[in-house]
Amino acid sequence: MEPKNNPNRFDELINAAPSASAIYHTRDIIITSANAQMLAFWGKDKSVIGKPLIEAVPELRGQPFITLLQNVFDTGITHHAEKDRAELKVDGKLQTSYFNYTYKPVLGTDGKTAYIFHTAIDVTTLIKTQQELSDTQERLSLALQAAEIGTWDLNPLSHAVHWDLRCRELFGFEGEADIAYHEVLDCIHPDDKPKVMEAVAAAINPLQTDTYDIRYRTVGNNSGKLRWVHCKGRSYFNDDGLAYRFAGTARDITNEVNTSLSQQQLLSLVSNNADIMTIADMKGNLIYMNRAGRELFGVPDDIDFTQLSARDFYEPEELQRVQETIIPQIDSEKGWKGILYLKHVQTHEAIPCQVNYILVKNPITGEIIGRGSTARDLRSELKARAELQRLATIVEFSEDFCNYTDWQGNTIYLNAAGQKLIGLSANEVAKTNIEAYHSLASNRLIKGSIRSQLLATGKWSGRLELMHQQTGEIIPIHKQFFLIRDGLTAEPIAITGIARNLTAEINAKKAMDKKNTEIANTLKELEFLANAVPTVVWTANPDGMIDFINQRWNDHSAIPIKASLGDKWTATIHPEDLDHTLKTWQKSVATGEPFQAEFRLKDKYGNYRWWLVRAVALTDSQGHISKWYGSNTDISEQKELQRQKDNFLGVASHELKTPVTSIKAYAQVVEMMLHRAGDEKNAALIAKMNNQINRLTALIGDLLDVTKITAGKLVFIHTHFNFDQLVSEIAEDIQLTTEKHHIELKLNSLRDINGDRERIRQVIVNLLTNAVKYSPDASQIIVFTEDHGHEVQFCVQDFGIGLTADKKDLIFEQFYRVIGSKERTFPGLGLGLYISSEIVKQLGGRIWVNSVAGEGATFCFAIPVNQVAQATENN
Ligand code: ADP
């Protein structure tokens, strides 16, 4: 090809070329030829042919193309550029275009560059599109970045994972290299890993069409930081149905999860709160009520509480108060706090509640949602408060000293009794410290050992002293301290105290001690006295056991005091007296009646001596025996004298009886002889003598009877006879002896009895004779008999001198006579009543007297109607 020879051939070539083409020659880059497309790039026509390029397209000045062309011309080396930018004028305006172009040298025969062949393709549109695409991608990535969304791309075939930066961050990876799928799995929380693997497997499985949408936790590869991520993605399948790409996004939802968690926690807090929480809409319909509310008001779980109205929770008056006063205050946004009486939905029990009402608004929009309330059941609180009130009242009115101070001892409270005890007025209480009203010694104790014990054990009790604030008097007390600690910090905060005034107690004890000493002294004195007296004295316990015997015992007894205590003394009783003595003593111990017995005790020489033992019981205010006091009198000599007297009486009366009987017989004969001789004067004298002999006989008879009685030899001969008849016979006889008295008979015995007629006569005669004898100034004597079925009773009433009460028993004793001015004038031995009572007793009967001194006496006896024993008088 020879362009020099045939330049038009280039034109044909260039015009036929598919892309824009031009040919230049010489180093000045003169346009040899250019096709229409090239001319269009330049915005020129054919007139530029033959001109240097720089002249034809002057905007190329300052751009590298001319220089590049000259380089190609000089070096003969092709220059190729892609997507190169050129500024060219189009329609008179400079515009940026991009070209892929080649400057190819065409060498001449001399081997030098003859022409440069320029081809260019306009790639402006491509470049622009590419730029737009990259802009879009950048925007997307920015958007993803802004949304903190990362992208990931897994090749299921190679198991390589491509992650963007965000994703790397979310999974805790550094660097930019692709990661293997198993490494990704290592970053997933172990608990979530199986679920992720399952979801991925499902997403890349062509047979399943699940979209991949999963929330799980990642644990940073290096950092170990826990995050929640939300991943979404899908798989792309090739013609063979194999997933070749699995891509999607990952979003950090840690905050969301945490927020919803805290919301859930908040909700559960509300629903499980011990306080009642409700929300009602502005119409008053319940929207929400927590569990505590349902429980308190008895709203069952299966009831839709929104169906309940305020009427169900309030009594009409309370509802009116809520609607008229409380709701307006809530709605005015001031809220309302106070006590309301709500009611149990089922039982209608009134429940006092501390209620707090507020207006509930949407925090973002400010829109009013409804009225919310929190409420607390006050029942137990009110009850506790009432109880506290009661306790406070008890403390306030307690007679004990009750106080309450802070830990430093500053008085917070002191009850009325306490104020009175230490002479403090109510308004002074708050100013005082515990130290002000205790004695110095007590203050030392409080500061020292009491405080340390309070800290260690929480309480202290013991003796302290208060000091009266006005008189300075020291008041002994028994004090109890209790430490009160702060419920939270356990710091000691207060001390409570209760004190009892011991003054009275101590005084009483002092008095008691004094009394005890006195008693002890008296007892000592008594013991001394007891030992000093010449008789034996002793004391016994209520059960009859002897616990004290004075020293005199040792002078007489066969066994010493110690060996005699209790019941051991009984060993010294004469065997004949033992039974009777013990029975009498036991009877007294059982009944408390005075004890009196005569019995023999062995003395230290082995002889038995007679003792008269008497004891009386000291009883307490309830009548219980507290002690027996006894005395033993030695009556051995008395007994001996009595024996001698009895002997003498026996012998004397017996010896007297025979001569007196003879004298009486002689006297009767003499009297008879004088009557016959007509010597009436001397006969009368003998008659008087006879009377005296009769009295003597009677006296001797009495003495003989006494002897028999003492010897236990009184014998009875029983016969069958009429009692009343006997009585009237005797009355007739006695009537003959007195002119002054009239003996009146009131006989009602009406039956025969068995008994010793003569002995019974003796008794009746005695009583009737006494009646006459001891009523010298009276004119009437009344005799009664009564039939009591198993016994007959005889009484004789006179209106004479009578007896004092203290003599009523004594007169039945041997030789006893009442000694008094009046009685002296009545002769007698004092044996009649003794013999009578012995006869009656031995007949199994009773004898007694009723009398008022100066007014007369009534002597009575009663005897069984059937006397059985038959015996002969052996004298
Ligand atoms: P005597 O009559 O011989 O003194 P008694 O044994 O018969 O002895 O009486 C004892 C005492 O009782 C009398 O001394 C007398 O003081 C008192 N006495 C007895 N009978 C009566 C009577 N009917 N009225 C008042 N005193 C009486």
Side-chain angles (χ1 to χ4, degrees):
M1 180 162 49
E2 276 296 324
K4 199 182 171 179
N5 302 327
N6 191 6
N8 289 334
R9 281 167 53 208
F10 291 119
D11 288 345
E12 282 168 31
L13 187 68
I14 285 165
N15 286 335
S19 53
S21 306
I23 293 175
Y24 313 106
H25 64 274
T26 75
R27 211 177 175 271
D28 295 331
I29 315 298
I30 291 161
I31 303 166
T32 311
S33 183
N35 69 359
Q37 283 155 292
M38 187 61 84
L39 290 173
F41 286 162
W42 292 335
K44 307 292 177 215
D45 56 23
K46 290 252 186 207
S47 62
V48 296
I49 309 269
K51 288 184 184 172
L53 181 60
I54 195 74
E55 277 176 31
V57 187
E59 63 265 31
L60 291 180
R61 203 176 299 274
Q63 297 189 54
F65 305 111
I66 299 299
T67 313
L68 283 170
L69 282 166
Q70 283 173 341
N71 270 349
V72 173
F73 193 86
D74 293 344
T75 60
I77 296 168
T78 303
H79 171 78
H80 180 73
E82 292 215 347
K83 300 174 189 171
D84 216 356
R85 180 179 164 162
E87 306 290 334
L88 294 171
K89 268 192 182 152
V90 179
D91 300 333
K93 272 190 218 156
L94 208 58
Q95 274 188 4
T96 303
S97 300
Y98 295 88
F99 297 96
N100 290 346
Y101 67 91
T102 309
Y103 296 146
K104 188 177 167 73
V106 180
L107 301 180
T109 46
D110 54 356
K112 289 186 180 167
T113 307
Y115 301 96
I116 294 172
F117 191 50
H118 172 197
T119 54
I121 299 166
D122 185 352
V123 293
T124 308
T125 318
L126 178 71
I127 293 294
K128 291 242 167 96
T129 311
Q130 266 180 352
Q131 267 177 358
E132 265 167 38
L133 192 66
S134 106
D135 279 356
T136 314
Q137 258 176 355
E138 202 176 335
R139 275 199 298 278
L140 178 67
S141 128
L142 274 174
L144 290 175
Q145 243 171 15
E148 304 211 302
I149 292 173
T151 58
W152 48 267
D153 205 333
L154 165 71
N155 184 340
L157 304 172
S158 69
H159 287 277
V161 181
H162 175 77
W163 264 341
D164 72 355
L165 272 174
R166 178 67 187 146
C167 257
R168 286 174 187 278
E169 193 187 327
L170 289 181
F171 284 77
F173 267 100
E174 284 160 7
E176 282 172 18
D178 281 357
I179 300 146
Y181 178 52
H182 71 88
E183 287 179 287
V184 175
L185 287 176
D186 288 344
C187 300
I188 294 170
H189 191 285
D191 291 353
D192 295 346
K193 206 191 279 188
K195 145 173 121 174
V196 174
M197 286 167 74
E198 204 177 297
V200 171
I204 59 174
N205 183 349
L207 299 175
Q208 290 182 339
T209 49
D210 300 20
T211 45
Y212 180 70
D213 187 339
I214 186 170
R215 290 172 170 79
Y216 59 88
R217 284 161 290 178
T218 64
V219 203
N221 194 10
N222 300 322
S223 63
K225 182 175 173 184
L226 192 128
R227 284 177 202 269
W228 276 95
V229 292
H230 181 191
C231 291
K232 277 184 182 177
R234 55 168 294 217
S235 294
Y236 300 86
F237 299 96
N238 60 19
D239 296 344
D240 300 333
L242 274 181
Y244 65 90
R245 188 176 173 209
F246 172 47
T249 57
R251 189 162 65 90
D252 184 350
I253 54 164
T254 313
N255 284 343
E256 260 165 64
V257 170
N258 287 345
T259 311
S260 98
L261 199 68
S262 55
Q263 268 167 5
Q264 267 167 23
Q265 281 164 346
L266 205 63
L267 202 66
S268 120
L269 198 67
V270 168
S271 111
N272 294 308
N273 199 300
D275 282 350
I276 297 113
M277 295 188 177
T278 63
I279 299 176
D281 64 17
M282 294 308 280
K283 284 185 214 130
N285 297 321
L286 209 53
I287 302 170
Y288 173 78
M289 176 179 261
N290 71 349
R291 192 178 312 157
R294 279 174 175 274
E295 276 168 14
L296 183 66
F297 298 120
V299 181
D301 285 347
D302 53 353
I303 281 192
D304 177 6
F305 56 75
T306 56
Q307 297 304 306
L308 295 169
S309 77
R311 216 172 295 279
D312 294 301
F313 294 101
Y314 292 109
E315 291 294 350
E317 321 81 83
E318 202 72 331
L319 184 62
Q320 194 183 351
R321 185 171 152 231
V322 170
Q323 286 168 339
E324 288 175 6
T325 7
I326 299 176
I327 288 188
Q329 205 173 321
I330 303 167
D331 294 352
S332 73
E333 294 190 23
K334 275 189 226 146
W336 185 88
K337 256 185 215 177
I339 294 174
L340 277 177
Y341 276 84
L342 287 125
K343 68 173 181 182
H344 193 278
V345 170
Q346 286 164 36
T347 65
H348 306 303
E349 183 199 347
I351 304 168
C353 290
Q354 171 71 45
V355 185
N356 197 359
Y357 269 120
I358 47 156
L359 203 59
V360 183
K361 288 181 175 180
N362 181 323
I364 296 163
T365 61
E367 175 201 0
I368 291 171
I369 297 168
R371 301 183 190 101
S373 78
T374 59
R376 198 173 75 243
D377 179 3
L378 286 182
R379 279 174 303 181
S380 53
E381 214 166 287
L382 290 178
K383 207 174 139 204
R385 208 181 295 169
E387 229 135 69
L388 261 182
Q389 191 65 46
R390 274 196 287 277
L391 266 181
T393 314
I394 293 171
V395 170
E396 182 63 27
F397 294 105
S398 162
E399 284 181 11
D400 286 340
F401 174 107
C402 301
N403 70 337
Y404 186 79
T405 72
D406 65 16
W407 177 238
Q408 280 72 39
N410 299 311
T411 306
I412 300 166
Y413 171 80
L414 176 61
N415 72 346
Q419 293 168 17
K420 195 174 157 212
L421 187 62
I422 56 169
L424 208 63
S425 70
N427 48 15
E428 288 169 315
V429 169
K431 294 173 215 147
T432 46
N433 186 285
I434 202 163
E435 282 183 25
Y437 50 77
H438 282 92
S439 72
L440 284 177
S442 292
N443 281 335
R444 264 200 298 278
L445 265 180
I446 294 172
K447 271 191 219 153
S449 58
I450 294 179
R451 271 175 188 272
S452 45
Q453 193 184 319
L454 279 177
L455 285 173
T457 67
K459 55 188 177 187
W460 182 89
S461 69
R463 277 279 297 272
L464 284 182
E465 292 166 338
L466 290 171
M467 195 165 69
H468 196 279
Q469 295 300 284
Q470 268 131 47
T471 63
E473 182 201 348
I474 294 294
I475 306 154
I477 51 164
H478 180 264
K479 182 96 190 181
Q480 282 177 286
F481 279 122
F482 300 96
L483 177 65
I484 297 177
R485 289 178 182 277
D486 185 290
L488 288 175
T489 64
E491 284 292 307
I493 48 169
I495 308 170
T496 60
I498 304 171
R500 204 176 66 238
N501 183 0
L502 293 180
T503 314
E505 217 166 283
I506 287 173
N507 286 347
K509 195 175 175 293
K510 270 189 203 154
M512 182 81 104
D513 287 349
K514 199 174 154 218
K515 199 95 216 151
N516 279 342
T517 322
E518 276 171 22
I519 290 173
N521 288 341
T522 314
L523 274 179
K524 248 188 229 158
E525 279 169 27
L526 275 179
E527 205 177 311
F528 180 77
L529 196 68
N531 286 327
V533 294
T535 45
V536 173
V537 290
W538 49 268
T539 59
N541 290 332
D543 58 2
M545 290 293 144
I546 295 193
D547 59 358
F548 167 80
I549 313 178
N550 72 346
Q551 290 300 322
R552 295 285 74 72
W553 176 264
N554 283 344
D555 303 342
H556 302 286
S557 175
I559 52 173
I561 295 172
K562 260 203 179 152
S564 307
L565 294 176
D567 61 355
K568 287 178 282 192
W569 61 279
T570 55
T572 67
I573 301 178
H574 191 289
E576 280 175 21
D577 303 338
L578 186 63
D579 189 41
H580 169 253
T581 307
L582 288 185
K583 272 190 188 143
T584 317
W585 179 225
Q586 278 154 9
K587 189 181 162 221
S588 286
V589 168
T591 60
E593 281 169 15
F595 168 76
Q596 178 165 336
E598 289 175 11
F599 51 89
R600 283 159 287 181
L601 292 172
K602 199 190 258 182
D603 70 10
K604 51 186 173 184
Y605 307 108
N607 302 321
Y608 281 100
R609 292 184 74 80
W610 277 97
W611 294 89
L612 168 65
V613 181
R614 285 202 178 101
V616 285
L618 179 72
T619 51
D620 61 19
S621 53
Q622 271 101 49
H624 299 131
I625 296 171
S626 52
K627 201 103 187 160
W628 284 95
Y629 290 89
S631 68
N632 297 6
T633 313
D634 187 345
I635 52 163
S636 300
E637 275 175 37
Q638 225 168 298
K639 278 276 176 189
E640 179 55 25
L641 286 175
Q642 203 174 342
R643 198 187 57 78
Q644 286 174 6
K645 178 206 73 183
D646 289 344
N647 269 351
F648 167 75
L649 275 183
V651 172
S653 53
H654 199 260
E655 292 305 315
L656 281 173
K657 196 183 166 189
T658 321
V660 170
T661 313
S662 303
I663 291 169
K664 185 171 171 161
Y666 290 129
Q668 276 170 347
V669 171
V670 172
E671 191 190 351
M672 208 167 61
M673 283 165 65
L674 286 174
H675 272 306
R676 275 190 202 151
D679 187 354
E680 290 302 329
K681 198 179 162 198
N682 284 318
L685 280 174
I686 296 296
K688 278 187 182 168
M689 189 180 81
N690 255 336
N691 276 342
Q692 293 305 316
I693 294 170
N694 278 344
R695 277 189 67 198
L696 191 62
T697 314
L699 286 173
I700 292 168
D702 279 355
L703 286 173
L704 275 172
D705 280 348
V706 170
T707 316
K708 283 181 199 161
I709 291 166
T710 327
K713 288 178 180 166
L714 202 58
V715 175
F716 296 90
I717 304 161
H718 295 309
T719 55
H720 198 67
F721 66 94
N722 186 283
F723 188 66
D724 278 358
Q725 200 184 334
L726 175 66
V727 173
S728 40
E729 263 174 36
I730 299 167
E732 251 172 63
D733 288 350
I734 302 291
Q735 183 64 72
L736 291 176
T737 64
T738 172
E739 285 171 7
K740 202 161 191 272
H741 300 91
H742 168 66
I743 303 173
E744 195 180 324
L745 298 179
K746 294 187 176 176
L747 308 181
N748 291 305
S749 162
L750 308 174
R751 70 155 86 193
D752 291 349
I753 66 163
N754 264 324
D756 189 321
R757 199 171 188 274
E758 283 318 303
R759 286 292 180 200
I760 294 169
R761 164 194 287 277
Q762 198 181 344
V763 176
I764 298 171
V765 168
N766 260 332
L767 297 184
L768 256 175
T769 319
N770 278 350
V772 172
K773 187 158 102 182
Y774 295 103
S775 66
D777 303 326
S779 57
Q780 198 192 16
I781 288 169
I782 311 167
V783 173
F784 307 88
T785 62
E786 278 168 25
D787 196 332
H788 289 171
H790 66 290
E791 58 178 26
V792 283
Q793 186 176 315
F794 169 91
C795 289
V796 53
Q797 183 180 16
D798 68 56
F799 300 91
I801 59 167
L803 295 164
T804 51
D806 57 324
K807 306 287 190 298
K808 281 179 188 169
D809 292 326
L810 296 172
I811 53 170
F812 294 101
E813 286 179 10
Q814 222 183 65
F815 296 111
Y816 186 83
R817 305 199 73 228
V818 178
I819 309 295
S821 56
K822 283 182 193 156
E823 289 83 352
R824 262 179 231 284
T825 58
F826 303 103
L829 281 180
L831 289 177
L833 288 180
Y834 167 69
I835 295 166
S836 299
S837 87
E838 283 301 318
I839 292 170
V840 169
K841 273 192 248 165
Q842 292 196 28
L843 287 175
R846 295 162 288 130
I847 187 165
W848 68 96
V849 61
N850 289 320
S851 174
V852 175
E855 288 182 18
T858 304
F859 280 83
C860 300
F861 73 86
I863 47 167
V865 291
N866 264 318
Q867 306 294 332
V868 271
Q870 294 282 329
T872 15
E873 228 171 320
N874 57 358
N875 189 7

